[in-house]
Amino acid sequence: MDPHPYLIKDCLINIFTFLSEEDLIRASSVCKDWNDAAETPWLWRRMCLQRWSFCNVLLGGEKTQTWKTYFLRRSHLEKKMTEGRTGGYTCKTLRGHTGRVVGLVYVSETSTNNPDFCKSSVTVCSASSDGTVRAWNVQNGELLWCSPVQNPLIAIVVDEQRGVVITADSTGLIKTWQAQTGQELASYSTGASHCTLLQYSVNNEWFLSVGTRQGSVCTLAGSGLTKKSNVMVCDTFKVNTLLVSPDKKWITAGTKDNDDFSPKVMYTESLNSPSEDEETLSQSLPVTGCRAAVFIPTQPARLAIVHHSELTQNNKVLTVLDVSLKKSKYKTEIQVQQVASFPLTLSSRDSHVHLAAKDSNCIVLATNHCLQVYSLKGALLGSYTDHTMPISGICVDSFRVVTASQDLSLRVLTWTNDRDRGVALEGRYHLLGGSHTMSSGFTHVACDYSSIVASVESKDGKDVLKAYSFTS
């Protein structure tokens, strides 16, 4: 009998840190000692954290699975999502709307940090011009609830943490709904025929900012939708750009309908807790003609904007700005500092631009049928022209990019980190949405870690949803 069994096991564990998961599994079948060392939870936890870069406690209070089980199931799921082979996913057609689908949101999401993603029941809510909100089980296609009919809906957003869905109709009526039951919680009338919705929380306080056709931003608070402020942003032009920074200190608002107008950045505290003696703390950004904007998710308040410029050949520029607050003894002012600015190569002057950010140095841009990836310094990291018709929506996360197109296909690409090329996207497969005989293409797309849901514009005016679920 070996006098130092623990020393041998510690040495094996140290050696096994250099193995891949496949080699570690092979090593576990050599003998009992190797199996004991290879089954050490620390090894599998270490591989999970190295591969997926999250640091929350895996199992919370209940031990429903081990680190090894989690690693293997998640790896298997990623492989299926990467390959997209028949049998690796299910596709459900969700029918029931009698009008156009104007938006869809996940209300129970299998996120990248969710240890029980394999057991989660995924729910999506869709809003339609038929005046209803409908909740669907993504895996089995079941309709969970449908709201009473009202005026045509024009927008939908969600507060995932509180399980609240927010909608706006064509008369400017805002309503909140309990996501699991469909119960109406509150309502507020803005009187605006166009509304852009933005929900966010600051220090556990709930807020909803509404961009209106009249050019103002109305901020509501709490479960009762109490009005806090109403600030004019772009007089006579509707507010259709409305974003909140990751640190929740800044709201960016503007219009895409005027090349001469500059979007504004506003301090959220002055919107949520306005003072009668002081004006809203805001500042116009040093760009005009906003076409698309996104905050960089890994930075407190770094904003990327695609905007109009007369100085470039195709009139489109991407500018990156840092927003901060400078306080002195006598005044508080907003500081906007340019980080980068570079011209874009767009295929059409008036293309609708879709913009998203992966991390601190990666911008994803789609226009017409082309998808492009840029670094924040302006380097073109990749260009993809797989679609034959214009891209109608994109969904970006740390694992993949999904594009929806009027050619009635979804294109799935996954991120790679090549030693020579650096960060890049690799095209994987298409998911088809049906026949052009009955449909006119995809219009909206959303995805979580284990599924993709997209709306299909039907030629009979009764749009449907296509739900693709990947199983582990």
Side-chain angles (χ1 to χ4, degrees):
M1 184 176 178
D2 197 300
H4 303 291
Y6 296 109
L7 180 61
I8 293 176
K9 185 176 181 180
D10 287 346
C11 290
L12 282 173
I13 291 173
N14 184 57
I15 293 169
F16 287 171
T17 61
F18 296 96
L19 301 183
S20 66
E21 62 269 23
E22 293 89 354
D23 291 337
L24 187 58
I25 291 171
R26 294 190 188 99
S28 67
S29 62
V30 171
C31 64
K32 185 179 183 301
D33 288 341
W34 282 37
N35 180 269
D36 289 344
E39 291 292 325
T40 302
W42 177 84
L43 281 172
W44 293 98
R45 179 180 182 275
R46 178 176 175 272
M47 284 199 292
C48 283
L49 299 181
Q50 284 181 332
R51 181 159 175 175
W52 293 298
S53 302
F54 64 90
C55 54
N56 293 333
V57 178
L58 171 65
L59 304 177
E62 298 182 14
K63 286 199 171 184
T64 56
Q65 58 185 323
T66 64
W67 283 101
K68 179 181 178 181
T69 302
Y70 179 81
F71 185 94
L72 295 179
R73 293 180 75 179
R74 184 164 181 167
S75 299
H76 187 57
L77 178 60
E78 280 196 356
K79 183 179 180 182
K80 285 190 174 183
M81 290 191 297
T82 299
E83 295 173 347
R85 293 179 179 175
T86 303
Y89 65 91
T90 61
C91 177
K92 299 290 184 181
T93 301
L94 314 182
R95 304 181 188 277
H97 282 301
T98 57
R100 296 298 183 206
V101 171
V102 299
L104 56 100
V105 292
Y106 278 85
V107 296
S108 57
E109 184 179 8
T110 56
S111 69
T112 54
N113 294 347
N114 181 4
D116 291 322
F117 64 88
C118 298
K119 295 185 177 181
S120 297
S121 175
V122 182
T123 302
V124 161
C125 282
S126 54
S128 169
S129 62
D130 65 14
T132 66
V133 185
R134 294 173 183 258
W136 314 85
N137 181 301
V138 171
Q139 284 93 340
N140 61 28
E142 178 187 359
L143 176 63
L144 302 177
W145 56 264
C146 176
S147 70
V149 177
Q150 62 182 95
N151 289 305
L153 297 177
I154 58 174
I156 182 171
V157 295
V158 66
D159 176 2
E160 290 176 14
Q161 290 187 336
R162 300 195 183 191
V164 175
V165 175
I166 307 105
T167 60
D169 73 13
S170 58
T171 68
L173 182 63
I174 310 297
K175 287 189 176 182
T176 56
W177 313 84
Q178 213 289 324
Q180 296 304 317
T181 64
Q183 178 185 358
E184 183 181 328
L185 302 175
S187 64
Y188 179 87
S189 179
T190 65
S193 59
H194 166 89
C195 290
T196 300
L197 304 178
L198 175 67
Q199 192 283 320
Y200 58 97
S201 295
V202 179
N203 298 324
N204 293 320
E205 292 188 60
W206 193 94
F207 298 99
L208 177 70
S209 287
V210 183
T212 70
R213 178 175 290 278
Q214 290 82 3
S216 66
V217 172
C218 176
T219 298
L220 311 174
S223 58
L225 298 180
T226 304
K227 183 177 177 180
K228 288 291 186 178
S229 62
N230 191 58
V231 179
M232 183 56 64
V233 174
C234 42
D235 194 11
T236 71
F237 291 97
K238 63 184 178 184
V239 175
N240 48 22
T241 296
L242 196 59
L243 306 167
V244 64
S245 62
D247 64 6
K248 303 299 188 290
K249 292 182 178 180
W250 305 100
I251 297 286
T252 297
T255 184
K256 302 174 186 176
D257 300 338
N258 189 307
D259 283 345
D260 298 323
F261 182 82
S262 295
K264 286 185 178 181
V265 61
M266 298 176 286
Y267 193 45
T268 54
E269 185 177 317
S270 63
L271 295 176
N272 304 337
S273 303
S275 171
E276 294 182 1
D277 302 328
E278 298 178 4
E279 293 185 355
T280 301
L281 187 59
S282 66
Q283 182 171 314
S284 295
L285 297 175
V287 299
T288 58
C290 174
R291 285 291 177 269
V294 65
F295 276 103
I296 309 300
T298 55
Q299 299 294 320
R302 177 165 289 180
L303 182 66
I305 303 178
V306 175
H307 61 95
H308 181 76
S309 174
E310 296 289 353
L311 302 178
T312 60
Q313 185 176 3
N314 59 18
N315 298 320
K316 295 295 182 295
V317 171
L318 194 150
T319 297
V320 182
L321 305 166
D322 275 343
V323 183
S324 60
L325 194 67
K326 182 181 180 181
K327 292 184 177 182
S328 64
K329 185 176 180 180
Y330 300 104
K331 65 177 180 177
T332 300
E333 58 184 357
I334 299 173
Q335 286 192 323
V336 178
Q337 182 177 359
Q338 181 174 301
V339 177
S341 188
F342 52 90
L344 295 172
T345 305
L346 301 184
S347 55
S348 173
R349 187 179 187 277
D350 297 318
S351 295
H352 184 76
V353 178
H354 303 273
L355 191 65
K358 174 181 179 283
D359 52 30
S360 60
N361 192 40
C362 205
I363 295 290
V364 181
L365 183 147
T367 180
N368 277 347
H369 65 285
C370 183
L371 180 75
Q372 295 176 315
V373 181
Y374 287 91
S375 74
L376 254 63
K377 293 183 178 179
L380 181 61
L381 304 178
S383 183
Y384 311 87
T385 54
D386 302 292
H387 289 295
T388 59
M389 295 179 69
I391 293 171
S392 53
I394 63 174
C395 189
V396 178
D397 59 29
S398 60
F399 175 63
R400 65 187 170 185
V401 173
V402 180
T403 58
S405 170
Q406 294 174 16
D407 64 15
L408 206 51
S409 74
L410 303 175
R411 182 65 172 169
V412 179
L413 309 94
T414 58
W415 294 104
T416 61
N417 199 346
D418 187 85
R419 182 173 297 179
D420 298 323
R421 296 186 303 159
V423 175
L425 280 173
E426 185 172 346
R428 297 296 184 176
Y429 54 90
H430 284 88
L431 296 170
L432 301 180
S435 167
H436 273 288
T437 303
M438 304 294 292
S439 309
S440 301
F442 283 111
T443 53
H444 304 275
V445 64
C447 58
D448 70 351
Y449 188 71
S450 62
S451 64
I452 302 170
V453 180
S455 57
V456 178
E457 182 179 340
S458 298
K459 290 186 177 180
D460 64 1
K462 300 177 181 179
D463 290 2
V464 300
L465 303 181
K466 290 287 186 177
Y468 307 84
S469 298
F470 295 83
T471 57
S472 62

